[in-house]
Amino acid sequence: MRTLEEVQATLQIAKVKEEDLQPVTYCLSFGDNVSSGDYCLMELDDTLCKHIEAGKSLIIRGDKDEHAVLCSEDKTYDLKIADTSNLLLFVPGCKTPDQLPDIPASPQLMHAQIWGFSNCYWELRKQRPRIKKLKKLLMENPYDGPAVGMQEEEVPGPKYTMDDLLERIQASREEIEAHLQTVHACEIDGFWRILDFDYEMKLLGHVTQLIDSESWSFSKVPLSICLEELGSLEPKAMIEHCLNCYGRRYNNEDGQVMYALDEDKVCRATAQLLLQNAVKFNLSEFQEVWQQSVPEGMSARLDQLRGLALLDRSSKPETISLLRVEDLPEDTLERFNSLFSLREKWTQDDIEPYIQDLCGEKQTTGSLLTKHARSSVQNGVKVFNSRRPLSN
């Protein structure tokens, strides 16, 4: 190991003034059997540093055919290897001047051992969770109600616990839980299941028919009576789950659990039921049938269908067809290619519902369109088309 005198002599040869340096000098040496493959370095921002310092975990997720991501409790980060021209050294116990308790007045030499080295590190970038796979897994075995006679029978097909989903889905726990709520999934016997849509609409039909027969307000639906009246038709847990999906839970002045049905959600689900069995629907005929199909007292409006249905105002007659944002690719470039393969030109109002979920924290749909589409004005209306020609 070098002595302080040897270090001072080296400084003189290099023509470096000792007074320009910190009083503490570290002399580094390699430990036995050190190699570049012993450690992987990762760059963390302040939020993730505090996360680790608090004793919490970061988890790398991804199947063999997927690009790995890093997940905290509530966020997902893309993992990429960044190369550096400088050699990065892993030196435990080496302290910066601000970490030293007392800075000596006279020069001091300290020794530290290098445990590892690398010329690259993992770079993190916050990204949207890759959540589409979640619904795909759950749709392998949708729940369509209890067995005949209320008998407990094992339903064939794969079923997933929360731990299973955490192993398979590239997203944080909070993001997975939020999406389970979005797709109206529920936990049955410890497994997360998505309801068959026809069965879900059957449950909703029971609830709305009861509301009609009892002449209740849509904003004052009592849970206890719903469970009492409908419990003989369907499991009470499913009735309550349906109310949670299509209503807002609250307690009235007497402490009774009540629900206020969401008109937009009910009308939207009814529209999906009508559209899923037709390639295209005459718009005017659809609106008439749709209004007749929703519960009396609710108003069906086209703005309720953003991200669910696509209107074609240029055709004669005007048409409407099912196009769910959840069925489009998660990747931004693939999403735009898919949209422009469906329609050559889009107005901003038409395309916005299908790209809104692609926006990051500081992104807008306008900035996405600027980057991935070309704009022009036709008949006084701004339209967007693909930046590159679509292949046949």
Side-chain angles (χ1 to χ4, degrees):
M1 293 185 180
R2 288 188 177 187
T3 63
L4 181 60
E5 290 73 20
E6 289 174 329
V7 170
Q8 290 172 335
T10 302
L11 291 176
Q12 289 180 354
I13 294 173
K15 296 182 180 181
V16 176
K17 294 181 180 180
E18 192 171 337
E19 55 268 24
D20 292 339
L21 305 177
Q22 295 289 341
V24 176
T25 301
Y26 269 95
C27 183
L28 304 180
S29 61
F30 285 94
D32 297 333
N33 302 318
V34 173
S35 75
S36 61
D38 290 342
Y39 299 94
C40 290
L41 303 179
M42 183 178 294
E43 185 180 52
L44 303 180
D45 59 18
D46 290 340
T47 301
L48 289 178
C49 280
K50 292 176 181 177
H51 186 89
I52 291 293
E53 290 168 353
K56 299 177 181 179
S57 300
L58 296 175
I59 302 173
I60 295 177
R61 292 196 172 113
D63 284 340
K64 292 181 180 180
D65 60 342
E66 295 174 327
H67 182 80
V69 299
L70 185 86
C71 297
S72 64
E73 292 177 337
D74 59 349
K75 293 180 177 64
T76 302
Y77 297 85
D78 185 35
L79 272 173
K80 286 188 177 179
I81 294 179
D83 295 321
T84 173
S85 57
N86 296 320
L87 191 65
L88 301 173
L89 304 178
F90 180 36
V91 189
C94 185
K95 296 181 180 180
T96 57
D98 58 300
Q99 294 174 321
L100 293 171
D102 297 306
I103 298 178
S106 58
Q108 183 175 339
L109 183 65
M110 300 183 72
H111 295 275
Q113 196 170 69
I114 298 170
W115 284 25
F117 61 92
S118 178
N119 59 358
C120 63
Y121 62 94
W122 287 105
E123 187 178 53
L124 303 182
R125 182 176 298 175
K126 188 181 173 187
Q127 68 162 36
R128 301 186 314 276
R130 298 172 184 174
I131 211 78
K132 185 176 181 179
K133 185 178 177 181
L134 174 59
K135 186 174 182 181
K136 181 180 178 181
L137 290 176
L138 297 183
M139 285 302 293
E140 292 173 356
N141 185 18
Y143 181 76
D144 57 3
V148 177
M150 306 294 285
Q151 296 296 315
E152 287 288 338
E153 293 184 3
E154 181 66 27
V155 179
K159 292 187 286 189
Y160 301 94
T161 64
M162 176 56 76
D163 287 341
D164 295 331
L165 295 175
L166 288 170
E167 285 291 322
R168 302 289 301 275
I169 306 302
Q170 292 186 292
S172 69
R173 187 184 189 96
E174 285 191 17
E175 290 166 333
I176 290 175
E177 290 173 344
H179 197 65
L180 285 170
Q181 186 174 352
T182 299
V183 299
H184 295 175
C186 62
E187 194 173 13
I188 302 174
D189 298 328
F191 297 97
W192 282 94
R193 309 288 298 277
I194 194 168
L195 271 58
D196 177 83
F197 186 65
D198 288 339
Y199 178 63
E200 186 175 313
M201 293 305 295
K202 179 183 176 183
L203 293 171
L204 182 59
H206 287 322
V207 171
T208 55
Q209 287 168 20
L210 180 62
I211 292 172
D212 181 62
S213 64
E214 297 290 340
S215 299
W216 291 333
S217 165
F218 289 123
S219 62
K220 296 178 181 179
V221 181
L223 173 62
S224 59
I225 300 179
C226 284
L227 298 182
E228 181 181 345
E229 294 293 326
L230 301 176
S232 61
L233 301 175
E234 298 293 343
K236 292 182 179 181
M238 291 297 100
I239 299 298
E240 187 170 356
H241 175 68
C242 179
L243 287 168
N244 285 325
C245 292
Y246 291 96
R248 176 181 57 84
R249 185 186 182 113
Y250 69 97
N251 293 86
N252 64 10
E253 296 176 352
D254 299 327
Q256 185 179 13
V257 178
M258 308 289 287
Y259 281 87
L261 283 195
D262 188 311
E263 180 178 88
D264 289 349
K265 289 182 178 179
V266 174
C267 291
R268 184 182 176 91
T270 306
Q272 181 176 335
L273 186 66
L274 295 172
L275 290 170
Q276 68 180 4
N277 295 318
V279 177
K280 283 189 178 181
F281 219 122
N282 180 297
L283 180 58
S284 61
E285 292 178 359
F286 168 78
Q287 287 181 281
E288 183 179 349
V289 174
W290 182 28
Q291 183 60 58
Q292 293 172 353
S293 302
V294 301
E296 187 175 353
M298 288 190 173
S299 298
R301 308 183 314 276
L302 290 177
D303 64 275
Q304 295 165 337
L305 306 183
R306 289 174 62 84
L308 175 70
L310 186 62
L311 275 63
D312 188 351
R313 300 284 191 182
S314 62
S315 65
K316 301 297 179 185
E318 296 177 342
T319 61
I320 185 171
S321 57
L322 184 69
L323 180 60
R324 300 182 299 181
V325 65
E326 63 199 66
D327 294 331
L328 296 171
E330 284 183 306
D331 179 76
T332 300
L333 185 58
E334 291 179 10
R335 175 79 61 88
F336 274 95
N337 286 341
S338 177
L339 289 171
F340 287 122
S341 68
L342 292 170
R343 177 181 288 183
E344 183 180 355
K345 297 177 181 178
W346 293 75
T347 65
Q348 184 161 346
D349 188 58
D350 284 343
I351 201 172
E352 269 189 343
Y354 295 105
I355 61 173
Q356 186 72 52
D357 62 310
L358 300 177
C359 295
E361 289 183 343
K362 297 181 180 180
Q363 276 186 315
T364 63
T365 54
S367 64
L368 276 177
L369 287 168
T370 300
K371 183 177 180 180
H372 297 281
R374 291 184 300 179
S375 63
S376 59
V377 178
Q378 294 185 355
N379 300 323
V381 178
K382 190 175 184 179
V383 295
F384 296 88
N385 62 342
S386 177
R387 280 192 172 275
R388 54 185 181 180
L390 296 171
S391 58
N392 293 327

